Every structure is written in structure tokens, then in C-alpha cells.
mmCIF file of all heavy atoms in Angstrom:
data_model
loop_
_atom_site.group_PDB
_atom_site.id
_atom_site.type_symbol
_atom_site.label_atom_id
_atom_site.label_comp_id
_atom_site.label_asym_id
_atom_site.label_seq_id
_atom_site.Cartn_x
_atom_site.Cartn_y
_atom_site.Cartn_z
ATOM 1 N N LEU U 199 62.655 164.019 104.699
ATOM 2 C CA LEU U 199 63.257 163.709 103.403
ATOM 3 C C LEU U 199 63.253 162.198 103.202
ATOM 4 O O LEU U 199 63.712 161.459 104.084
ATOM 5 C CB LEU U 199 64.672 164.254 103.325
ATOM 6 C CG LEU U 199 65.384 164.167 101.961
ATOM 7 C CD1 LEU U 199 64.664 165.049 100.937
ATOM 8 C CD2 LEU U 199 66.845 164.600 102.080
ATOM 9 N N LEU U 200 62.759 161.751 102.052
ATOM 10 C CA LEU U 200 62.680 160.329 101.757
ATOM 11 C C LEU U 200 64.010 159.805 101.245
ATOM 12 O O LEU U 200 64.691 160.445 100.449
ATOM 13 C CB LEU U 200 61.612 160.088 100.681
ATOM 14 C CG LEU U 200 60.147 160.296 101.102
ATOM 15 C CD1 LEU U 200 59.240 160.290 99.888
ATOM 16 C CD2 LEU U 200 59.714 159.233 102.103
ATOM 17 N N PHE U 201 64.340 158.585 101.684
ATOM 18 C CA PHE U 201 65.523 157.867 101.207
ATOM 19 C C PHE U 201 65.080 156.491 100.683
ATOM 20 O O PHE U 201 63.993 156.025 100.997
ATOM 21 C CB PHE U 201 66.543 157.687 102.336
ATOM 22 C CG PHE U 201 67.336 158.915 102.661
ATOM 23 C CD1 PHE U 201 66.764 159.949 103.375
ATOM 24 C CD2 PHE U 201 68.659 159.035 102.253
ATOM 25 C CE1 PHE U 201 67.493 161.099 103.681
ATOM 26 C CE2 PHE U 201 69.404 160.171 102.552
ATOM 27 C CZ PHE U 201 68.828 161.201 103.269
ATOM 28 N N SER U 202 65.973 155.851 99.922
ATOM 29 C CA SER U 202 65.621 154.569 99.312
ATOM 30 C C SER U 202 65.579 153.424 100.294
ATOM 31 O O SER U 202 64.965 152.393 100.027
ATOM 32 C CB SER U 202 66.614 154.244 98.179
ATOM 33 O OG SER U 202 67.943 154.188 98.694
ATOM 34 N N SER U 203 66.256 153.546 101.436
ATOM 35 C CA SER U 203 66.287 152.492 102.449
ATOM 36 C C SER U 203 66.714 153.081 103.783
ATOM 37 O O SER U 203 67.276 154.201 103.835
ATOM 38 C CB SER U 203 67.240 151.368 102.051
ATOM 39 O OG SER U 203 68.596 151.826 102.120
ATOM 40 N N GLY U 204 66.500 152.324 104.862
ATOM 41 C CA GLY U 204 66.995 152.748 106.148
ATOM 42 C C GLY U 204 68.512 152.837 106.178
ATOM 43 O O GLY U 204 69.087 153.718 106.818
ATOM 44 N N TYR U 205 69.159 151.911 105.505
ATOM 45 C CA TYR U 205 70.625 151.945 105.426
ATOM 46 C C TYR U 205 71.074 153.242 104.763
ATOM 47 O O TYR U 205 71.973 153.936 105.259
ATOM 48 C CB TYR U 205 71.128 150.735 104.634
ATOM 49 C CG TYR U 205 72.629 150.593 104.646
ATOM 50 C CD1 TYR U 205 73.263 149.786 105.589
ATOM 51 C CD2 TYR U 205 73.425 151.282 103.737
ATOM 52 C CE1 TYR U 205 74.652 149.674 105.614
ATOM 53 C CE2 TYR U 205 74.798 151.178 103.749
ATOM 54 C CZ TYR U 205 75.414 150.374 104.686
ATOM 55 O OH TYR U 205 76.762 150.259 104.727
ATOM 56 N N ALA U 206 70.449 153.597 103.649
ATOM 57 C CA ALA U 206 70.825 154.818 102.942
ATOM 58 C C ALA U 206 70.554 156.056 103.794
ATOM 59 O O ALA U 206 71.330 157.034 103.756
ATOM 60 C CB ALA U 206 70.068 154.911 101.626
ATOM 61 N N ALA U 207 69.482 156.036 104.574
ATOM 62 C CA ALA U 207 69.152 157.178 105.415
ATOM 63 C C ALA U 207 70.201 157.373 106.506
ATOM 64 O O ALA U 207 70.698 158.499 106.704
ATOM 65 C CB ALA U 207 67.771 157.002 106.035
ATOM 66 N N ASN U 208 70.562 156.313 107.211
ATOM 67 C CA ASN U 208 71.546 156.445 108.281
ATOM 68 C C ASN U 208 72.931 156.792 107.745
ATOM 69 O O ASN U 208 73.602 157.695 108.249
ATOM 70 C CB ASN U 208 71.616 155.151 109.100
ATOM 71 C CG ASN U 208 70.572 155.120 110.196
ATOM 72 O OD1 ASN U 208 70.173 156.145 110.738
ATOM 73 N ND2 ASN U 208 70.114 153.926 110.531
ATOM 74 N N VAL U 209 73.377 156.034 106.743
ATOM 75 C CA VAL U 209 74.707 156.304 106.185
ATOM 76 C C VAL U 209 74.771 157.726 105.621
ATOM 77 O O VAL U 209 75.716 158.469 105.876
ATOM 78 C CB VAL U 209 75.050 155.267 105.093
ATOM 79 C CG1 VAL U 209 76.264 155.723 104.283
ATOM 80 C CG2 VAL U 209 75.331 153.918 105.708
ATOM 81 N N GLY U 210 73.759 158.096 104.860
ATOM 82 C CA GLY U 210 73.761 159.414 104.225
ATOM 83 C C GLY U 210 73.695 160.555 105.220
ATOM 84 O O GLY U 210 74.434 161.540 105.109
ATOM 85 N N ALA U 211 72.800 160.432 106.195
ATOM 86 C CA ALA U 211 72.627 161.528 107.145
ATOM 87 C C ALA U 211 73.829 161.699 108.061
ATOM 88 O O ALA U 211 74.309 162.817 108.256
ATOM 89 C CB ALA U 211 71.353 161.298 107.965
ATOM 90 N N ILE U 212 74.305 160.601 108.633
ATOM 91 C CA ILE U 212 75.427 160.716 109.580
ATOM 92 C C ILE U 212 76.687 161.219 108.879
ATOM 93 O O ILE U 212 77.384 162.110 109.358
ATOM 94 C CB ILE U 212 75.686 159.379 110.276
ATOM 95 C CG1 ILE U 212 74.472 158.999 111.152
ATOM 96 C CG2 ILE U 212 76.950 159.446 111.128
ATOM 97 C CD1 ILE U 212 74.545 157.585 111.716
ATOM 98 N N ALA U 213 76.972 160.657 107.706
ATOM 99 C CA ALA U 213 78.171 161.065 106.974
ATOM 100 C C ALA U 213 78.080 162.506 106.486
ATOM 101 O O ALA U 213 79.101 163.183 106.320
ATOM 102 C CB ALA U 213 78.413 160.112 105.796
ATOM 103 N N ALA U 214 76.860 163.010 106.255
ATOM 104 C CA ALA U 214 76.701 164.395 105.818
ATOM 105 C C ALA U 214 76.795 165.375 106.981
ATOM 106 O O ALA U 214 77.215 166.512 106.818
ATOM 107 C CB ALA U 214 75.356 164.560 105.120
ATOM 108 N N LEU U 215 76.385 164.927 108.176
ATOM 109 C CA LEU U 215 76.332 165.844 109.323
ATOM 110 C C LEU U 215 77.643 165.926 110.080
ATOM 111 O O LEU U 215 78.079 167.006 110.452
ATOM 112 C CB LEU U 215 75.196 165.400 110.258
ATOM 113 C CG LEU U 215 73.780 165.566 109.722
ATOM 114 C CD1 LEU U 215 72.782 164.817 110.609
ATOM 115 C CD2 LEU U 215 73.418 167.045 109.634
ATOM 116 N N ALA U 216 78.249 164.784 110.365
ATOM 117 C CA ALA U 216 79.490 164.780 111.172
ATOM 118 C C ALA U 216 80.705 164.856 110.243
ATOM 119 O O ALA U 216 80.659 164.406 109.098
ATOM 120 C CB ALA U 216 79.545 163.511 112.022
ATOM 121 N N ARG U 217 81.789 165.418 110.778
ATOM 122 C CA ARG U 217 83.008 165.609 109.974
ATOM 123 C C ARG U 217 84.254 165.347 110.809
ATOM 124 O O ARG U 217 84.177 165.242 112.038
ATOM 125 C CB ARG U 217 83.068 167.060 109.484
ATOM 126 C CG ARG U 217 81.869 167.567 108.735
ATOM 127 C CD ARG U 217 82.091 168.990 108.312
ATOM 128 N NE ARG U 217 80.861 169.605 107.824
ATOM 129 C CZ ARG U 217 80.754 170.866 107.430
ATOM 130 N NH1 ARG U 217 81.828 171.646 107.479
ATOM 131 N NH2 ARG U 217 79.627 171.337 106.983
ATOM 132 N N PRO U 218 85.407 165.290 110.154
ATOM 133 C CA PRO U 218 86.643 165.223 110.935
ATOM 134 C C PRO U 218 86.715 166.381 111.919
ATOM 135 O O PRO U 218 86.372 167.511 111.599
ATOM 136 C CB PRO U 218 87.733 165.325 109.863
ATOM 137 C CG PRO U 218 87.088 164.762 108.624
ATOM 138 C CD PRO U 218 85.643 165.204 108.699
ATOM 139 N N GLY U 219 87.128 166.068 113.138
ATOM 140 C CA GLY U 219 87.129 167.078 114.195
ATOM 141 C C GLY U 219 85.936 166.976 115.107
ATOM 142 O O GLY U 219 85.936 167.506 116.229
ATOM 143 N N ASP U 220 84.880 166.288 114.649
ATOM 144 C CA ASP U 220 83.705 166.027 115.488
ATOM 145 C C ASP U 220 83.915 164.760 116.297
ATOM 146 O O ASP U 220 84.773 163.940 115.997
ATOM 147 C CB ASP U 220 82.460 165.846 114.624
ATOM 148 C CG ASP U 220 82.029 167.130 113.919
ATOM 149 O OD1 ASP U 220 82.737 168.150 114.061
ATOM 150 O OD2 ASP U 220 81.011 167.085 113.212
ATOM 151 N N VAL U 221 83.091 164.580 117.317
ATOM 152 C CA VAL U 221 83.050 163.342 118.078
ATOM 153 C C VAL U 221 81.628 162.799 118.047
ATOM 154 O O VAL U 221 80.669 163.530 118.302
ATOM 155 C CB VAL U 221 83.509 163.556 119.548
ATOM 156 C CG1 VAL U 221 83.206 162.306 120.396
ATOM 157 C CG2 VAL U 221 84.998 163.882 119.604
ATOM 158 N N ILE U 222 81.515 161.524 117.685
ATOM 159 C CA ILE U 222 80.233 160.826 117.706
ATOM 160 C C ILE U 222 80.262 159.807 118.825
ATOM 161 O O ILE U 222 81.148 158.953 118.870
ATOM 162 C CB ILE U 222 79.950 160.105 116.371
ATOM 163 C CG1 ILE U 222 79.972 161.084 115.196
ATOM 164 C CG2 ILE U 222 78.607 159.365 116.436
ATOM 165 C CD1 ILE U 222 79.849 160.399 113.836
ATOM 166 N N VAL U 223 79.296 159.874 119.721
ATOM 167 C CA VAL U 223 79.137 158.883 120.774
ATOM 168 C C VAL U 223 78.073 157.904 120.300
ATOM 169 O O VAL U 223 76.932 158.299 120.038
ATOM 170 C CB VAL U 223 78.742 159.526 122.107
ATOM 171 C CG1 VAL U 223 78.529 158.467 123.182
ATOM 172 C CG2 VAL U 223 79.823 160.528 122.545
ATOM 173 N N SER U 224 78.442 156.620 120.184
ATOM 174 C CA SER U 224 77.575 155.635 119.553
ATOM 175 C C SER U 224 77.385 154.416 120.449
ATOM 176 O O SER U 224 78.362 153.887 121.013
ATOM 177 C CB SER U 224 78.202 155.190 118.215
ATOM 178 O OG SER U 224 77.430 154.196 117.574
ATOM 179 N N ASP U 225 76.145 153.959 120.594
ATOM 180 C CA ASP U 225 75.854 152.759 121.368
ATOM 181 C C ASP U 225 76.515 151.543 120.740
ATOM 182 O O ASP U 225 76.545 151.382 119.510
ATOM 183 C CB ASP U 225 74.327 152.557 121.442
ATOM 184 C CG ASP U 225 73.937 151.458 122.406
ATOM 185 O OD1 ASP U 225 74.095 150.264 122.066
ATOM 186 O OD2 ASP U 225 73.433 151.773 123.503
ATOM 187 N N ALA U 226 77.027 150.646 121.578
ATOM 188 C CA ALA U 226 77.751 149.469 121.101
ATOM 189 C C ALA U 226 76.931 148.563 120.216
ATOM 190 O O ALA U 226 77.465 147.811 119.399
ATOM 191 C CB ALA U 226 78.316 148.672 122.285
ATOM 192 N N LEU U 227 75.609 148.574 120.384
ATOM 193 C CA LEU U 227 74.753 147.683 119.583
ATOM 194 C C LEU U 227 73.991 148.419 118.476
ATOM 195 O O LEU U 227 73.020 147.896 117.929
ATOM 196 C CB LEU U 227 73.762 146.939 120.503
ATOM 197 C CG LEU U 227 74.403 145.998 121.523
ATOM 198 C CD1 LEU U 227 73.313 145.169 122.228
ATOM 199 C CD2 LEU U 227 75.418 145.056 120.874
ATOM 200 N N ASN U 228 74.445 149.607 118.121
ATOM 201 C CA ASN U 228 73.815 150.305 117.013
ATOM 202 C C ASN U 228 73.906 149.499 115.716
ATOM 203 O O ASN U 228 74.842 148.734 115.500
ATOM 204 C CB ASN U 228 74.471 151.674 116.803
ATOM 205 C CG ASN U 228 73.852 152.757 117.683
ATOM 206 O OD1 ASN U 228 72.729 152.623 118.169
ATOM 207 N ND2 ASN U 228 74.595 153.835 117.899
ATOM 208 N N HIS U 229 72.926 149.719 114.846
ATOM 209 C CA HIS U 229 72.836 148.995 113.584
ATOM 210 C C HIS U 229 74.044 149.253 112.688
ATOM 211 O O HIS U 229 74.701 150.291 112.787
ATOM 212 C CB HIS U 229 71.550 149.442 112.868
ATOM 213 C CG HIS U 229 71.200 148.624 111.676
ATOM 214 N ND1 HIS U 229 71.576 148.964 110.395
ATOM 215 C CD2 HIS U 229 70.499 147.453 111.570
ATOM 216 C CE1 HIS U 229 71.109 148.053 109.543
ATOM 217 N NE2 HIS U 229 70.462 147.123 110.234
ATOM 218 N N ALA U 230 74.310 148.312 111.811
ATOM 219 C CA ALA U 230 75.442 148.423 110.894
ATOM 220 C C ALA U 230 75.402 149.702 110.064
ATOM 221 O O ALA U 230 76.449 150.284 109.751
ATOM 222 C CB ALA U 230 75.493 147.195 109.973
ATOM 223 N N SER U 231 74.223 150.153 109.707
ATOM 224 C CA SER U 231 74.107 151.373 108.909
ATOM 225 C C SER U 231 74.580 152.594 109.687
ATOM 226 O O SER U 231 75.167 153.519 109.125
ATOM 227 C CB SER U 231 72.661 151.564 108.449
ATOM 228 O OG SER U 231 71.765 151.635 109.544
ATOM 229 N N ILE U 232 74.342 152.598 110.996
ATOM 230 C CA ILE U 232 74.852 153.687 111.843
ATOM 231 C C ILE U 232 76.370 153.587 111.944
ATOM 232 O O ILE U 232 77.081 154.585 111.806
ATOM 233 C CB ILE U 232 74.204 153.616 113.236
ATOM 234 C CG1 ILE U 232 72.704 153.932 113.137
ATOM 235 C CG2 ILE U 232 74.887 154.566 114.209
ATOM 236 C CD1 ILE U 232 71.952 153.776 114.449
ATOM 237 N N ILE U 233 76.874 152.384 112.174
ATOM 238 C CA ILE U 233 78.317 152.184 112.277
ATOM 239 C C ILE U 233 79.019 152.654 111.008
ATOM 240 O O ILE U 233 80.023 153.372 111.052
ATOM 241 C CB ILE U 233 78.633 150.704 112.543
ATOM 242 C CG1 ILE U 233 78.091 150.295 113.924
ATOM 243 C CG2 ILE U 233 80.121 150.427 112.438
ATOM 244 C CD1 ILE U 233 78.129 148.797 114.175
ATOM 245 N N ASP U 234 78.469 152.281 109.853
ATOM 246 C CA ASP U 234 79.106 152.659 108.589
ATOM 247 C C ASP U 234 79.012 154.163 108.357
ATOM 248 O O ASP U 234 79.956 154.782 107.847
ATOM 249 C CB ASP U 234 78.450 151.904 107.438
ATOM 250 C CG ASP U 234 78.789 150.432 107.451
ATOM 251 O OD1 ASP U 234 79.627 150.022 108.283
ATOM 252 O OD2 ASP U 234 78.214 149.658 106.656
ATOM 253 N N GLY U 235 77.890 154.776 108.731
ATOM 254 C CA GLY U 235 77.758 156.234 108.604
ATOM 255 C C GLY U 235 78.796 156.946 109.455
ATOM 256 O O GLY U 235 79.407 157.934 109.023
ATOM 257 N N CYS U 236 79.002 156.447 110.677
ATOM 258 C CA CYS U 236 80.007 157.032 111.568
ATOM 259 C C CYS U 236 81.397 156.929 110.949
ATOM 260 O O CYS U 236 82.182 157.894 110.957
ATOM 261 C CB CYS U 236 79.969 156.343 112.925
ATOM 262 S SG CYS U 236 78.486 156.667 113.927
ATOM 263 N N ARG U 237 81.721 155.770 110.415
ATOM 264 C CA ARG U 237 83.037 155.578 109.801
ATOM 265 C C ARG U 237 83.248 156.497 108.604
ATOM 266 O O ARG U 237 84.309 157.102 108.436
ATOM 267 C CB ARG U 237 83.199 154.125 109.366
ATOM 268 C CG ARG U 237 83.322 153.135 110.528
ATOM 269 C CD ARG U 237 83.243 151.707 110.038
ATOM 270 N NE ARG U 237 83.479 150.744 111.109
ATOM 271 C CZ ARG U 237 83.225 149.440 111.001
ATOM 272 N NH1 ARG U 237 82.753 148.937 109.859
ATOM 273 N NH2 ARG U 237 83.460 148.640 112.015
ATOM 274 N N LEU U 238 82.234 156.606 107.776
ATOM 275 C CA LEU U 238 82.354 157.432 106.576
ATOM 276 C C LEU U 238 82.469 158.921 106.889
ATOM 277 O O LEU U 238 83.002 159.680 106.095
ATOM 278 C CB LEU U 238 81.163 157.184 105.645
ATOM 279 C CG LEU U 238 81.158 155.842 104.914
ATOM 280 C CD1 LEU U 238 79.797 155.612 104.247
ATOM 281 C CD2 LEU U 238 82.272 155.790 103.889
ATOM 282 N N SER U 239 81.953 159.336 108.027
ATOM 283 C CA SER U 239 81.952 160.752 108.374
ATOM 284 C C SER U 239 83.370 161.290 108.591
ATOM 285 O O SER U 239 83.613 162.493 108.421
ATOM 286 C CB SER U 239 81.128 160.990 109.627
ATOM 287 O OG SER U 239 81.794 160.513 110.790
#
């Protein structure tokens, strides 16, 4: 699925897939778009 940017892809996908009650294990140096997607989830 095409997205407008890498930021939009990471934020959109992570926030759509993970939810309250889930646990995301994230590398400390992951990109800001991953961090923001995790927070929004």
C-alpha cells in the first residue's frame, strides 16, 4: 500500500495495528516516525 511519505507510513501503520492493551518493544534509536506511531497507538 502506497503512502505519501515514510513518516506517514510508519505513523499510520503502527497506530492502526497496535492498541491500548498491546505492548510494543521498540529499539532506542528507532526513527521519530516509529516513536510517534507507537505513542499514537
Side-chain angles (χ1 to χ4, degrees):
L199 187 65
L200 290 169
F201 283 76
S202 59
S203 70
Y205 187 95
N208 274 330
V209 167
I212 295 171
L215 292 168
R217 306 180 191 178
D220 292 2
V221 169
I222 302 174
V223 178
S224 178
D225 188 285
L227 296 188
N228 273 339
H229 190 266
S231 58
I232 293 176
I233 294 170
D234 290 353
C236 290
R237 290 170 175 168
L238 286 170
S239 73

